[in-house]
Amino acid sequence: MTTRWRSVAVAAAAVGLVVAPVGTGAGAVYAWDAAAAYTQTTTAPAAAPTPTPATEPTPTPAPTSASDEFAQLTPAVARQLDDSIRKVLAEAKIPGVIVAVSAPGKGEYVRSFGIADKATGAPMTPNLNMRIGSVTKTFTVTALLELVDDGKVGLDDPIAKYVDGVPNGDRITLRELAGMRSGLFNYSADEGFYKAFTSNPDRPFTPQELLDYSFKHPVLFEPNAKFYYCNTNLILLGLVVEKVSGTPLDRFIDREVVEPAGLKHTLFPTGPEFPEPHAQGYTNQTASGKVENSTDWNPSWGWAAGAMISDLSDLRSWAKTLATGTLLTPATQAQRLDVVDAIPGAGYGLGIFNVQGWIGHNGSLPGYGSLVLYLPEAEATLVVLLNTDISYENQEPSTLFGEAITKIVTPDRVYSLPAQPPS
């Protein structure tokens, strides 16, 4: 699920995921290998055309206990992970990737592979800032749910109470927007939007401009009838947060979500700003269809659905915060995690998904991809960050890594999302 489009008049996917601090303490080694993969090795403990709505969903398999199923991250397992990640990197022709996997008592695996900059050959390193795409949705919905906890909004309020001009706005609730069940058209799948963005990727978009691309289309289905991943929903929720709080969304999220979560390198940019150090991003979502460097493109078109920036350390922390609900009341977190069947093998809650027990979100926007996951039973965290969004065999590249990694560390709980239909 990513904040992206695939081509003119083709449905956009989704955006986003989760976090925890990385260090280079005792046992850390940095080295170059024959595959030119920059590696941080942490020694494991010795012991212990228009989009169509989704078809009828397949029930999400009920999870089983995972605490004993998560692999001990021994040197042998680390080598398996190295080999599997390098294989994906080579087959999918991905420039570079950063990976972190850990669980209490099981050890920690932190690696960077490939290059951060094709022009200079600079390697990927674990400390780089990255655009996180739809993982932004987890922050926006958290901000909304904090307002729910404060009694300032209700999840079953209609969006018309806060934003005028929304098709079916008197019947679409904030809950349905956060759960991707509104029936609204996805603005990033509009042909006019696609042309406007790719003809000038540096231009800023306002939230209202984004909504205008959506609202010129008829609704796709009645509220709550189906699941359909739609960036329009998050733009509306961002406007609700602004109206109710009286604060610009970027400032509210920084003050009420990022700072309380203890995140030091996470920001909601208001333009193309991108703190150093960062990886260069590469995309084929361009006017020509050729691969271009999208690093400094203006992410305002993603706004509340996909504009944010973070790093590995923060996202490892955010993964647990998001999944365990430490910023919310238990009752509100329970509503957030009350997932409904979305796509085969996955359920979607309020700005969050559950794939075989892994809770979090993925993200994609031109040039970057992310995956932020937490497995509660094992208290395990998985974060993947990469500097391309170019799909491979119609799959998001972050999904390829997530599947390869979980086949090794949790073989009974493999993270996998179905391939998107070809463009």
Side-chain angles (χ1 to χ4, degrees):
M1 302 184 186
T2 61
T3 301
R4 64 169 290 159
W5 53 84
R6 300 213 177 258
S7 64
V8 176
V10 175
V15 185
L17 255 291
V18 200
V19 198
V22 181
T24 59
V29 179
Y30 294 86
W32 283 93
D33 65 15
Y38 181 87
T39 303
Q40 175 187 357
T41 305
T42 304
T43 305
T50 58
T52 55
T55 55
E56 289 303 312
T58 299
T60 304
T64 57
S65 175
S67 58
D68 296 327
E69 297 172 6
F70 192 91
Q72 192 78 30
L73 297 174
T74 63
V77 170
R79 286 192 293 272
Q80 282 184 274
L81 289 168
D82 288 348
D83 291 345
S84 186
I85 291 167
R86 288 190 183 107
K87 182 179 179 182
V88 172
L89 198 77
E91 288 182 350
K93 296 180 173 58
I94 293 165
V97 66
I98 306 167
V99 176
V101 189
S102 62
K106 301 293 186 177
E108 181 180 75
Y109 173 94
V110 179
R111 297 283 196 277
S112 300
F113 299 88
I115 59 174
D117 189 332
K118 291 182 179 181
T120 66
M124 287 290 270
T125 56
N127 66 327
L128 296 175
N129 293 300
M130 303 287 280
R131 299 195 187 278
I132 62 173
S134 282
V135 177
T136 302
K137 291 179 171 68
T138 65
F139 289 89
T140 300
V141 174
T142 298
L144 175 77
L145 295 178
E146 288 180 335
L147 294 174
V148 170
D149 279 340
D150 291 340
K152 295 180 179 179
V153 299
L155 281 172
D156 296 315
D157 291 346
I159 185 60
K161 181 177 179 180
Y162 306 99
V163 181
D164 294 330
V166 181
N168 279 347
D170 59 335
R171 295 189 291 125
I172 296 172
T173 67
L174 305 187
R175 187 188 304 275
E176 289 159 352
L177 291 168
M180 301 294 175
R181 301 180 71 85
S182 70
L184 295 172
F185 185 89
N186 192 350
Y187 71 85
S188 52
D190 176 78
E191 183 174 351
F193 166 79
Y194 179 83
K195 289 180 178 178
F197 181 84
T198 56
S199 65
N200 182 12
D202 299 325
R203 65 164 285 184
F205 286 87
T206 67
Q208 188 57 55
E209 286 175 318
L210 301 175
L211 294 179
D212 289 344
Y213 286 113
S214 170
F215 295 168
K216 69 182 183 181
H217 295 270
V219 296
L220 300 175
F221 51 84
E222 287 299 296
N224 205 36
K226 298 178 181 179
F227 172 87
Y228 168 62
Y229 193 90
C230 176
N231 294 318
T232 305
N233 297 336
L234 269 291
I235 303 304
L236 289 168
L237 293 181
L239 291 174
V240 172
V241 172
E242 287 197 331
K243 182 170 185 177
V244 173
S245 69
T247 306
L249 182 64
D250 61 294
R251 295 181 192 171
F252 187 87
I253 286 179
D254 183 60
R255 186 185 71 208
E256 303 296 337
V257 183
V258 171
E259 289 185 7
L263 308 182
K264 304 300 184 183
H265 303 103
T266 300
L267 71 149
F268 194 128
T270 56
E273 61 268 24
F274 198 168
E276 295 283 358
H278 59 252
Q280 301 295 298
Y282 302 94
T283 187
N284 61 359
Q285 295 192 78
T286 60
S288 66
K290 296 179 180 179
V291 175
E292 295 180 12
N293 185 320
S294 58
T295 306
D296 297 318
W297 289 4
N298 193 325
S300 62
W301 71 271
W303 196 53
M308 289 181 69
I309 293 167
S310 190
D311 70 356
L312 185 71
S313 175
D314 274 9
L315 290 176
R316 294 179 70 194
S317 178
W318 179 241
K320 183 175 181 179
T321 297
L322 174 68
T324 59
T326 55
L327 298 182
L328 305 173
T329 64
T332 297
Q333 179 69 2
Q335 292 187 76
R336 174 173 222 167
L337 296 181
D338 185 14
V339 301
V340 296
D341 296 325
I343 55 179
Y348 201 85
L350 303 181
I352 198 168
F353 62 44
N354 183 321
V355 181
Q356 304 297 331
W358 287 97
I359 296 171
H361 218 289
N362 63 347
S364 173
L365 81 170
Y368 298 89
S370 58
L371 185 61
V372 183
L373 301 173
Y374 187 77
L375 186 62
E377 293 86 349
E379 299 180 51
T381 301
L382 168 59
V383 177
V384 177
L385 297 169
L386 54 152
N387 60 341
T388 188
D389 65 312
I390 299 173
S391 61
Y392 176 72
E393 295 184 350
N394 300 314
Q395 284 194 310
E396 296 291 340
S398 65
T399 298
L400 301 174
F401 287 111
E403 185 171 359
I405 292 164
T406 54
K407 280 182 177 178
I408 295 169
V409 298
T410 53
D412 293 329
R413 292 169 172 269
V414 175
Y415 171 86
S416 183
L417 290 175
Q420 299 292 318
S423 299

